[in-house]
């Protein structure tokens, strides 16, 4: 037999191209169709079609750790002469639910409008989002909007679902895709997105006489409400978080909930190179609270602040980054009752939200980075 491969484009196809096409059918099923001997080779009449495909489970299959082979890798054409052991290098990830009706309404007419070419910034967004299902969000902007301007360039930031950062292999794959569709005079440039995260401290009051569930069940319900709000409203570029909207969702989560009070902080994850001095610049791009009284060299550990970090080890001590209320960032150590200043380490601009840290040298930290929290 002959092998036909999936094609998502009509570019570079001729009457000899052994490709097939996929389209949505009824009840979330799929339909396979072939070419017509003009665009794509048409199989002979009465051909037997054998189709291999994966049965997807969406996000249910994410984080799988153990894998086994479902075929025998040995044989006359194999380099293996004995059974193989499977070692998991990375857990499974990237599973997603079917595209929502709202997403289809937005992208389908725009994908038709793009017609396999990228001219405007929105064209790049639509083309990438419709061709690569693993992309969670994409934002493109012209070089005239950067400082200093870089005319003739279009900058593209991509957020891949369930992946930290922007892997080089994906960057190369996306670059090849857009270069084949971009005008000769335009240079696409992929940039890594700069993430700011939200930390929500929610205090909930509920009437115990109006429900039969315990406080832990209410807590789980609230956490799920917050996560659902994140997934539905904040998983894209150019969106706005509104605390009042989230509070309304929480208040409606259960009839027993009387009120909710939310305290929102922003934070960034800083992957500091251990044992090496380095300079770090963080841009939150928003105004920060600046009503904290200046602090002396020692002060109560539960004092108010604008900036604070997760703990890390520095010169054999457990320390934090914290602002002094007067535009400086310092390293402090604590005994749980009192914080003690060790040294000034940088500056914080309360108006622009920019933080500059100089010559940082950290011994160890836990997790995937030191988290630096600010109060917007």
């Amino acid at each position: 037999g002959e092998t036909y491969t999936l094609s998502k484009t009509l570019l570079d196809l001729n009457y000899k191209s052994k490709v097939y096409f996929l389209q949505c059918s009824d009840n979330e099923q799929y339909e396979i169709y072939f070419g017509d001997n003009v665009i794509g080779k048409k199989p002979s009449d009465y051909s037997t079609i054998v189709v291999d495909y994966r049965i997807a489970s969406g996000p249910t299959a994410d984080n799988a750790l153990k894998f086994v082979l479902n075929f025998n890798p040995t044989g006359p054409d194999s380099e293996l002469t004995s059974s193989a052991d499977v070692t998991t290098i990375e857990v499974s990830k990237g599973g997603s639910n079917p595209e929502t009706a709202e997403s289809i309404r937005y992208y389908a007419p725009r994908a038709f409008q793009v017609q396999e070419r990228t001219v405007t910034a929105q064209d790049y967004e639509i083309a990438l989002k419709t061709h690569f299902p693993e992309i969670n969000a994409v934002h493109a902007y012209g070089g005239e909007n950067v400082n200093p301007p870089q005319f003739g360039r279009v900058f593209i930031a991509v957020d891949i679902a369930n992946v930290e950062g922007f892997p080089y292999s994906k960057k190369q794959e996306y670059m090849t895709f857009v270069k084949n569709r971009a005008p000769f005079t335009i240079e696409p440039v992929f940039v890594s997105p700069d993430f700011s995260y939200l930390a929500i401290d929610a205090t909930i009051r509920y009437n115990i006489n109006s429900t039969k569930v315990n406080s832990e069940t209410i807590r789980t319900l609230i956490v799920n409400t917050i996560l659902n709000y994140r997934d539905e409203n904040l998983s894209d570029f150019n969106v706005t978080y509104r605390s009042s909207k989230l509070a309304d969702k929480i208040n409606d989560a259960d009839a027993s909930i009387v009120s909710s009070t939310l305290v929102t902080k922003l934070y960034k994850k800083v992957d500091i190179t251990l044992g090496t001095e380095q300079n770090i610049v963080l841009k939150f791009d928003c105004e920060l609270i600046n009503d904290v009284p200046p602090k002396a060299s020692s002060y109560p550990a539960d004092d108010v602040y604008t900036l604070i970090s997760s703990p890390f080890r520095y010169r054999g001590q457990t320390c934090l980054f914290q602002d002094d209320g007067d535009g400086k960032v310092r390293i402090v150590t604590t005994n749980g009752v009192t914080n003690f200043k060790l040294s000034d380490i940088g500056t914080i601009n309360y108006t622009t939200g920019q933080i500059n840290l100089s010559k940082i040298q950290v011994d160890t930290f836990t997790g995937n980075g030191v988290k630096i929290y600010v109060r917007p």
Side-chain angles (χ1 to χ4, degrees):
E2 297 179 312
T3 300
Y4 285 67
T5 56
L6 173 65
S7 178
K8 297 182 179 179
T9 177
L10 300 181
L11 290 177
D12 303 321
L13 298 183
N14 57 35
Y15 69 97
K16 294 182 179 179
S17 302
K18 298 175 184 177
V19 297
Y20 67 90
F21 306 96
L22 199 64
Q23 69 182 16
C24 188
S25 184
D26 297 332
N27 301 322
E28 296 186 353
Q29 302 297 308
Y30 290 93
E31 223 169 47
I32 289 173
Y33 63 100
F34 296 88
D36 56 1
N37 284 335
V38 177
I39 298 178
K41 183 178 179 181
K42 179 181 178 180
S44 303
D45 290 343
Y46 309 110
S47 294
T48 299
I49 308 298
V50 179
V51 184
D52 291 329
Y53 59 95
R54 287 195 298 259
I55 299 175
S57 301
T60 306
D62 285 352
N63 300 310
L65 291 167
K66 185 176 180 181
F67 298 89
V68 295
L69 292 176
N70 63 351
F71 65 97
N72 182 6
T74 63
D77 298 325
S78 173
E79 297 180 0
L80 295 175
T81 58
S82 60
S83 60
D85 292 326
V86 179
T87 301
T88 302
I89 298 175
E90 193 172 4
V91 299
S92 63
K93 59 188 177 184
S96 61
N97 292 316
E99 189 176 8
T100 63
E102 192 61 36
S103 176
I104 293 172
R105 286 192 195 98
Y106 179 83
Y107 282 106
R110 289 164 176 81
F112 179 76
Q113 173 187 330
V114 170
Q115 291 290 329
E116 293 294 345
R117 55 89 180 108
T118 51
V119 178
T120 68
Q122 189 185 50
D123 289 345
Y124 287 89
E125 297 176 2
I126 299 299
L128 285 165
K129 190 71 167 63
T130 54
H131 192 81
F132 298 100
E134 74 273 13
I135 292 180
N136 182 57
V138 58
H139 178 54
Y141 51 96
E144 69 277 6
N145 295 319
V146 302
N147 188 18
Q150 299 183 36
F151 298 103
R153 287 184 166 184
V154 59
F155 292 86
I156 308 166
V158 174
D159 173 31
I160 303 175
N162 303 318
V163 174
E164 288 280 348
F166 193 5
Y168 179 77
S169 60
K170 282 296 180 183
K171 184 180 292 187
Q172 292 298 102
E173 183 180 359
Y174 299 160
M175 177 64 77
T176 300
F177 174 79
V178 298
K179 270 197 167 183
N180 290 335
R181 291 158 175 79
F184 183 73
T185 55
I186 299 295
E187 179 189 1
V189 179
F190 280 89
V191 294
S192 298
D194 180 22
F195 292 99
S196 293
Y197 300 88
L198 290 172
I200 308 295
D201 184 3
T203 302
I204 311 301
R205 292 173 57 85
Y206 75 102
N207 186 348
I208 61 174
N209 298 317
S210 300
T211 181
K212 295 181 179 180
V213 302
N214 57 26
S215 60
E216 187 59 32
T217 302
I218 293 289
R219 179 189 180 279
T220 301
L221 178 64
I222 299 306
V223 170
N224 290 336
T225 300
I226 293 173
L227 295 179
N228 289 337
Y229 181 86
R230 174 201 65 185
D231 294 340
E232 294 173 2
N233 298 277
L234 303 177
S235 296
D236 204 349
F237 293 100
N238 292 327
V239 294
T240 301
Y241 164 73
R242 301 190 187 280
S243 182
S244 58
K245 297 287 188 182
L246 177 57
D248 289 342
K249 293 282 187 182
I250 292 174
N251 293 337
D252 293 340
D254 191 90
S256 66
I257 295 177
V258 177
S259 65
S260 58
T261 303
L262 307 184
V263 177
T264 305
K265 297 177 187 175
L266 285 171
Y267 71 93
K268 289 183 180 289
K269 301 174 185 177
V270 184
D271 187 11
I272 300 176
T273 304
L274 299 180
T276 303
E277 283 191 354
Q278 60 188 115
N279 300 325
I280 293 175
V281 178
L282 302 177
K283 297 180 180 180
F284 284 95
D285 293 318
C286 68
E287 189 172 357
L288 307 179
I289 285 178
N290 187 19
D291 58 0
V292 179
K295 297 178 176 60
S297 57
S298 63
Y299 52 93
D302 59 356
D303 205 352
V304 293
Y305 54 84
T306 299
L307 177 150
I308 194 171
S309 75
S310 58
F312 56 88
R313 296 287 291 177
Y314 172 74
R315 294 182 180 178
Q317 301 182 76
T318 299
C319 299
L320 308 167
F321 294 125
Q322 201 166 45
D323 74 306
D324 67 349
D326 201 26
K328 292 182 180 179
V329 180
R330 48 174 57 169
I331 293 181
V332 301
T333 185
T334 181
N335 59 12
V337 178
T338 305
N339 287 357
F340 302 92
K341 169 187 170 181
L342 295 182
S343 63
D344 292 325
I345 199 69
T347 60
I348 176 172
N349 188 316
Y350 298 108
T351 302
T352 65
Q354 178 164 319
I355 299 163
N356 299 292
L357 305 178
S358 303
K359 296 182 178 180
I360 299 172
Q361 185 170 338
V362 172
D363 299 333
T364 59
F365 58 81
T366 57
N368 56 357
V370 176
K371 296 179 180 178
I372 297 184
Y373 297 84
V374 294
R375 296 164 63 206

